[in-house]
Amino acid sequence: MIRMIASDIDGTLLDGCGRLSERTKKALDDAAVRKIHTVIATGRAFSALPETLKSLEALEYVITSNGSSIFRLSDGRRIAGWDMPETLVMSAKTIFRKYPYPIEVFIHGRAYAQADYCRCPQKFGVPKSSVSYVQTTRIPTEDIDGLIERCRDQIEGMDMIVDDMKMKSEIRGQLEQLDNIYVTTSADHYIEIAAGGCSKAAALRILAQMLGIDLADAAAFGDGENDLEMIEACGIGVAVGNACERLLAAADIIAPDHSEDGVACILEQLCQTI
């Protein structure tokens, strides 16, 4: 008996053009009619959620910044959160600043990024398809280092955009040596960090406890490495067909590609059993 569904957004719930299909919307609505709680679990900041999702009646809660925050959608209130320790923020910044790549910082549900990166994301290896997303969801910041210094006790998470995979591996290796850190990635050009103990799975487990639900009665959908813990923690873990190899190997079910309404395909099957 599925009582909760949790889904990633990009590359999972949304199609190849970043849209929520009518079929997927109907599947989510049908799940809500059956009293199944719907949760979004994303690496995005709260302010970067697509308007199409914010307006969904079926959607109740949003886990953001790879598990650093839980927001209630009805009033936009952060009902739980785990910010990075100040020492971790400063240690991570020291590592990041050894390299010529842009940084993003999530504070109070908003995403801030270096102004030069916001002006021309493609210059830093961001795919053309993601340029609009970056420019419409990031707050351009000329002095990102100063922002980090001023808000070092309020940071949900930090990202670095790295288009060189060898350098990405090097930077990630250094970050993973720090204490009390969670390091993951949602796309090839991202390194994403949060406080140790954070993950989509950890936040989902706490939300499930609030709602009196066992994760054995939950289904999770994803496509990236940052979905791995969530896929493994839930009773049914679903990877869409375009997912990374680690997720495909860990999933209980492999759904069709996100551009083929993979989430809807599985939800329709699950709802038929209720």
Side-chain angles (χ1 to χ4, degrees):
M1 178 66 74
I2 295 300
R3 299 183 59 200
M4 173 186 281
I5 55 175
S7 179
D8 173 53
I9 299 177
D10 303 292
T12 303
L13 196 65
L14 304 183
D15 65 18
C17 296
R19 298 173 299 202
L20 183 71
S21 73
E22 286 301 316
R23 181 181 179 184
T24 301
K25 182 179 182 300
K26 183 180 184 303
L28 293 171
D29 288 339
D30 288 347
V33 168
R34 289 166 171 78
K35 308 299 182 184
I36 300 174
H37 294 279
T38 301
V39 180
I40 290 298
T42 179
R44 294 190 185 208
F46 184 74
S47 65
L49 290 176
E51 290 301 323
T52 51
L53 294 184
K54 289 182 180 179
S55 62
L56 274 182
E57 292 185 9
L59 182 58
E60 299 175 279
Y61 301 97
V62 181
I63 293 168
T64 65
S65 306
N66 289 318
S68 296
S69 300
I70 303 173
F71 285 88
R72 185 169 54 215
L73 192 58
S74 61
D75 58 6
R77 181 185 172 194
R78 189 190 193 203
I79 61 173
W82 303 270
D83 293 336
M84 294 173 62
E86 293 182 48
T87 53
L88 176 59
V89 168
M90 301 313 294
S91 295
K93 175 178 169 289
T94 298
I95 292 173
F96 280 155
R97 276 308 178 217
K98 295 178 183 177
Y99 301 91
Y101 301 109
I103 298 173
E104 298 179 334
V105 184
F106 295 174
I107 304 169
H108 298 314
R110 293 181 175 85
Y112 299 82
Q114 293 180 203
D116 57 344
Y117 164 66
C118 292
R119 283 191 289 268
C120 188
Q122 281 184 280
K123 177 182 176 182
F124 297 93
V126 173
K128 184 178 180 180
S129 59
S130 298
V131 169
S132 177
Y133 164 69
V134 171
Q135 294 182 330
T136 57
T137 62
R138 271 50 180 168
I139 299 171
T141 307
E142 294 292 347
D143 183 13
I144 197 77
D145 288 1
L147 177 67
I148 293 171
E149 291 277 355
R150 293 191 302 274
C151 301
R152 58 183 180 269
D153 61 341
Q154 306 167 49
I155 294 177
E156 298 172 58
M158 300 169 68
D159 299 341
M160 175 170 264
I161 297 84
V162 184
D163 60 351
D164 182 315
M165 294 303 101
K166 182 178 179 181
M167 294 303 295
K168 178 179 177 179
S169 178
E170 178 180 316
I171 298 167
R172 180 168 183 165
Q174 292 186 47
L175 291 167
E176 288 174 340
Q177 296 303 309
L178 299 177
D179 292 332
N180 194 25
I181 190 170
Y182 173 61
V183 186
T184 190
T185 183
S186 60
D188 286 344
H189 57 285
Y190 273 124
I191 301 174
E192 299 158 61
I193 63 173
C198 284
S199 70
K200 293 182 181 183
L204 187 64
R205 187 173 290 109
I206 288 171
L207 179 58
Q209 290 172 353
M210 293 179 182
L211 299 173
I213 296 173
D214 192 310
L215 285 189
D217 299 323
F221 299 80
D223 75 306
E225 180 190 315
N226 62 335
D227 300 311
L228 183 61
E229 296 93 345
M230 181 173 71
I231 291 295
E232 294 176 331
C234 290
I236 299 177
V238 184
V240 287
N242 53 284
C244 67
E245 290 300 324
R246 290 185 66 187
L247 210 70
L248 291 171
D252 301 303
I253 298 172
I254 297 177
D257 192 283
H258 72 130
S259 61
E260 299 172 349
D261 294 325
V263 172
C265 289
I266 304 304
L267 276 184
E268 289 163 358
Q269 295 174 31
L270 293 176
C271 286
Q272 288 174 4
T273 66
I274 298 174

